[in-house]
């Protein structure tokens, strides 16, 4: 990890990030990155722009994606896919289906918020996100822009807005984890488990119960074709990183590193 300056987990304004792929690529070049991966949620449109920008400034851009999934046991996991063929027919069909289901979910969420007395529309969402992807963070930004909350994070406060029981009940349909792994492999990619520290339902993050639960998950995912583990992520400390590296080595998984960037200025602390 010390030999090259890389970031294999970056979101653009083609999903719930705020910066354009071109601006991210240019900033990464200025900061002397050797390689970056664009990993937007459930979509690859940002990858295309980033590849063109990468060629222009001579920076290696890896095609990527992040898929929200659920195991057979109901554990929510995010699977990153690297070096995918963005023109793979099956991948494109699945992403289109996910987009349609996400749009239906968004309409329900907007309807609920209006019932709560918050006047918000799809047009309001488009004003804070120019591209087609609309997720909950975009709705939160729209609520903040209209003055209903002081900051987008406040829209997720327990019991309020998107943090209300009614809003939480309106769920996005997810791929099964095994299905997502198979899809990435079919598209010529390398499937990697993202930010393991964020895994819920297996004990308090960082506890021995947690690591035992994660070990069990990795054992299953390895059999399903998982090839890597995101061992370096800003949400964890050095001790947790070392535990993830040990698990990656145990299951012969690639070790990856990512910032999970969603902001406006790539490289900001």
């Amino acid at each position: 990890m010390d030999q090259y300056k890389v970031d294999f987990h970056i979101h653009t304004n083609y999903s719930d990030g705020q910066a354009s792929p071109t601006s991210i690529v240019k900033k990464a070049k200025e900061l002397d990155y050797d390689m970056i991966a664009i990993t937007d949620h459930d979509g690859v449109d940002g990858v295309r722009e980033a590849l063109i920008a990468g060629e222009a400034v001579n920076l290696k851009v890896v095609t990527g994606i992040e898929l929200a999934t659920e195991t057979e046991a109901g554990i929510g996991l995010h699977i990153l896919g690297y070096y995918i063929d963005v023109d793979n027919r099956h991948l494109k069909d699945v992403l289109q289906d996910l987009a349609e289901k996400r749009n239906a979910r968004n309409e329900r969420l907007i309807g609920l918020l209006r019932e709560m007395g918050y006047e918000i529309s799809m047009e309001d969402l488009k004003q804070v996100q120019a591209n087609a992807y609309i997720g909950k963070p975009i709705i939160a930004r729209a609520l903040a822009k209209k003055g209903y909350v002081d900051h987008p994070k406040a829209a997720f406060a327990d019991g309020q807005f998107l943090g209300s029981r009614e809003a939480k009940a309106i769920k996005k349909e997810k791929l099964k984890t095994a299905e997502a792994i198979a899809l990435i492999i079919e598209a010529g990619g390398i499937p990697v488990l993202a930010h393991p520290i964020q895994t819920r339902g297996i004990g308090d993050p960082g506890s021995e119960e947690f690591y035992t639960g994660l070990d069990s998950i990795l054992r299953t995912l390895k059999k399903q074709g998982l090839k890597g583990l995101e061992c370096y992520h800003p949400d964890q400390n050095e001790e947790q990183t070392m535990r993830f590296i040990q698990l990656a080595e145990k299951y012969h998984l690639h070790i990856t590193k990512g910032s999970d960037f969603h902001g406006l200025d790539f490289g900001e602390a």
Side-chain angles (χ1 to χ4, degrees):
M1 285 295 172
D2 293 331
Q3 289 182 310
Y4 299 99
K5 189 172 183 178
V6 302
D7 190 333
F8 269 45
H9 195 158
I10 299 172
H11 297 281
T12 78
N13 60 5
Y14 279 86
S15 65
D16 58 350
Q18 299 178 69
S20 72
T22 298
S23 68
I24 290 170
V25 168
K26 288 181 177 178
K27 189 63 181 292
K29 182 65 176 180
E30 291 173 9
L31 295 172
D32 294 323
Y33 276 81
D34 296 291
M35 188 182 305
I36 65 170
I38 300 300
T39 56
D40 280 322
H41 294 286
D42 301 341
V44 294
D45 291 340
V47 171
R48 303 176 193 281
E49 181 182 325
L51 288 171
I52 295 171
E55 288 183 6
V57 300
N58 193 29
L59 175 68
K60 174 65 176 177
V61 175
V62 173
T63 58
I65 195 168
E66 183 174 8
L67 297 170
T69 77
E70 190 174 73
T71 68
E72 293 296 335
I75 301 296
L77 300 174
H78 283 205
I79 302 296
L80 293 158
Y82 300 123
Y83 296 100
I84 56 172
D85 174 8
V86 296
D87 292 315
N88 178 270
R89 184 70 262 170
H90 187 202
L91 175 66
K92 292 172 74 173
D93 288 344
V94 171
L95 296 182
Q96 178 60 35
D97 182 58
L98 288 174
E100 291 172 1
K101 291 174 179 175
R102 183 172 60 249
N103 289 338
R105 187 279 309 264
N106 291 338
E107 292 286 359
R108 294 176 62 198
L109 280 173
I110 290 172
L112 174 64
L113 289 168
R114 291 176 68 88
E115 289 176 9
M116 291 177 175
Y118 308 113
E119 289 301 319
I120 188 168
S121 67
M122 287 301 295
E123 288 303 314
D124 293 322
L125 303 184
K126 291 175 183 178
Q127 288 181 19
V128 298
Q129 190 72 344
N131 297 300
Y133 182 97
I134 301 294
K136 284 186 177 180
I138 311 304
I139 298 175
R141 290 174 201 160
L143 288 168
K145 184 174 182 179
K146 299 203 75 170
Y148 291 125
V149 292
D150 294 332
H151 188 276
K153 286 185 178 180
F156 294 95
D158 191 37
Q160 301 181 51
F161 303 97
L162 298 173
S164 67
R165 178 173 53 83
E166 295 83 358
K168 288 180 178 179
I170 302 175
K171 298 183 180 296
K172 177 177 71 174
E173 188 169 334
K174 299 178 181 179
L175 295 172
K176 288 299 181 184
T177 306
E179 180 184 355
I181 290 173
L183 180 64
I184 289 167
I185 293 172
E186 181 184 339
I190 301 172
V192 173
L193 176 60
H195 41 61
I197 196 65
Q198 294 182 12
T199 308
R200 299 294 178 261
I202 58 172
D204 293 333
S207 67
E208 287 307 313
E209 179 188 8
F210 171 85
Y211 291 120
T212 298
L214 183 61
D215 187 297
S216 178
I217 288 172
L218 290 174
R219 187 183 312 116
T220 299
L221 298 188
K222 173 70 175 182
K223 294 175 182 177
Q224 295 172 346
L226 188 75
K227 300 297 183 184
L229 181 65
E230 188 176 44
C231 295
Y232 292 85
H233 188 275
D235 282 358
Q236 64 206 37
N237 59 37
E238 186 175 350
E239 179 183 350
Q240 291 164 345
T241 294
M242 293 309 300
R243 291 295 294 267
F244 295 143
I245 290 173
Q246 290 170 7
L247 285 170
E249 291 175 342
K250 177 179 179 179
Y251 291 104
H252 305 288
L253 299 171
H254 295 296
I255 294 170
T256 70
K257 176 181 183 179
S259 66
D260 207 352
F261 174 75
H262 286 77
L264 278 169
D265 187 9
F266 181 71
E268 277 191 333

